Amino acid sequence: MKKTIVISVLGALLVIGGVFGAIQHTNAKNIKQELQQIQASYTELSYKYEQLHSKYDYLGQQGDYLSQQYKDLEHQYVALEYQYQVMSKRGAEEEDVIADLQWQIAYWKDAYKTKPGPGWTLREFRSEEELVLWLSQDDTDSNRYIPNQFDCEDFARMLQSYAYNDGYVMSVTLVAGDNEYHLMNSCLIGNKFYYIDPQTDRFWFWGYFD
């Protein structure tokens, strides 16, 4: 009886040991498979990481390049904007000059129809514009002032003679200052009296004649 029990116990232990051994073998096999899967996943992730790292470096270089391109374009934009402002201002000035020239052409085209000339009856200037344009064509002011040789008297007489030659009435006027005298020119436009500085072509309104 005792022998039978011992044999039964030993048999049971063998069965249990076999089952436990089988379980251990199965667990080891599973662990090995999991380890292989982990290694495969690690290898795949390492490869993807290398690819991403390479792309990151490339994108970083592209970012630096584009950033420099942006700065260069920004500098070019600022320079072009400045040039545009300069050209716009210059264009406006040129338009003003052209408009002024067109006005002068139109004015003189009409003025020459009634402009006095040599042998004509002398007349007054009809407007400040006519006086300005005539002075702009006269070269008396281009002479050099030489004390006691070619001074204010000579300038005034020369401008008067040129005005007479072109058919205009112009006077030589003595202007008295503090212990000094100065010869200039004068003219009438309508009932307005004007002084003219023959050395500079500057003129100014003094007052009404009546």
Side-chain angles (χ1 to χ4, degrees):
M1 181 70 178
K2 290 181 179 179
K3 188 181 290 185
T4 302
I5 293 172
V6 171
I7 292 171
S8 298
V9 170
L10 289 174
L13 290 174
L14 288 173
V15 171
I16 293 171
V19 171
F20 182 74
I23 292 173
Q24 285 185 331
H25 177 73
T26 301
N27 289 339
K29 185 177 180 180
N30 292 338
I31 290 172
K32 184 177 181 180
Q33 290 177 348
E34 290 178 0
L35 179 61
Q36 290 175 345
Q37 290 176 352
I38 291 173
Q39 289 176 339
S41 298
Y42 173 78
T43 301
E44 183 180 1
L45 289 174
S46 296
Y47 175 73
K48 289 182 178 180
Y49 170 79
E50 292 296 332
Q51 286 185 321
L52 291 174
H53 186 71
S54 177
K55 288 182 179 180
Y56 173 79
D57 291 340
Y58 173 75
L59 291 175
Q61 294 174 358
Q62 286 292 100
D64 293 339
Y65 172 76
L66 292 175
S67 177
Q68 185 61 44
Q69 287 289 98
Y70 172 79
K71 291 179 180 179
D72 293 342
L73 289 174
E74 186 178 27
H75 291 161
Q76 293 178 15
Y77 170 78
V78 172
L80 288 173
E81 185 178 30
Y82 174 75
Q83 291 180 8
Y84 171 76
Q85 292 176 353
V86 171
M87 294 300 295
S88 297
K89 183 178 180 181
R90 186 179 300 171
E93 292 175 351
E94 290 176 352
E95 288 179 0
D96 291 340
V97 171
I98 292 173
D100 182 64
L101 290 174
Q102 290 175 338
W103 180 86
Q104 291 189 37
I105 291 171
Y107 178 86
W108 279 109
K109 184 177 180 180
D110 181 68
Y112 268 110
K113 296 177 182 179
T114 57
K115 181 184 177 183
W120 289 45
T121 302
L122 297 178
R123 69 167 176 82
E124 309 285 354
F125 289 95
R126 293 178 176 173
S127 65
E128 289 187 7
E129 289 77 15
E130 187 175 19
L131 176 60
V132 168
L133 291 175
W134 182 81
L135 288 173
S136 68
Q137 295 184 344
D138 174 74
D139 61 356
T140 301
D141 58 309
S142 65
N143 288 279
R144 188 164 63 93
Y145 181 89
I146 304 174
N148 300 321
Q149 294 185 32
F150 195 89
D151 51 20
C152 62
E153 175 188 355
D154 300 288
F155 276 96
R157 290 185 181 277
M158 178 179 287
L159 188 66
Q160 181 190 46
S161 66
Y162 287 163
Y164 282 0
N165 289 337
D166 285 339
Y168 292 109
V169 176
M170 184 174 291
S171 302
V172 174
T173 304
L174 180 65
V175 180
D178 296 334
N179 299 322
E180 62 179 10
Y181 299 92
H182 185 55
L183 281 174
M184 304 178 70
N185 297 98
S186 62
C187 69
L188 286 172
I189 300 178
N191 66 338
K192 296 180 180 180
F193 184 84
Y194 290 84
Y195 281 114
I196 304 170
D197 185 350
Q199 299 179 44
T200 63
D201 282 351
R202 189 173 67 90
F203 68 93
W204 61 95
F205 170 66
W206 179 81
Y208 291 97
F209 202 73
D210 55 13

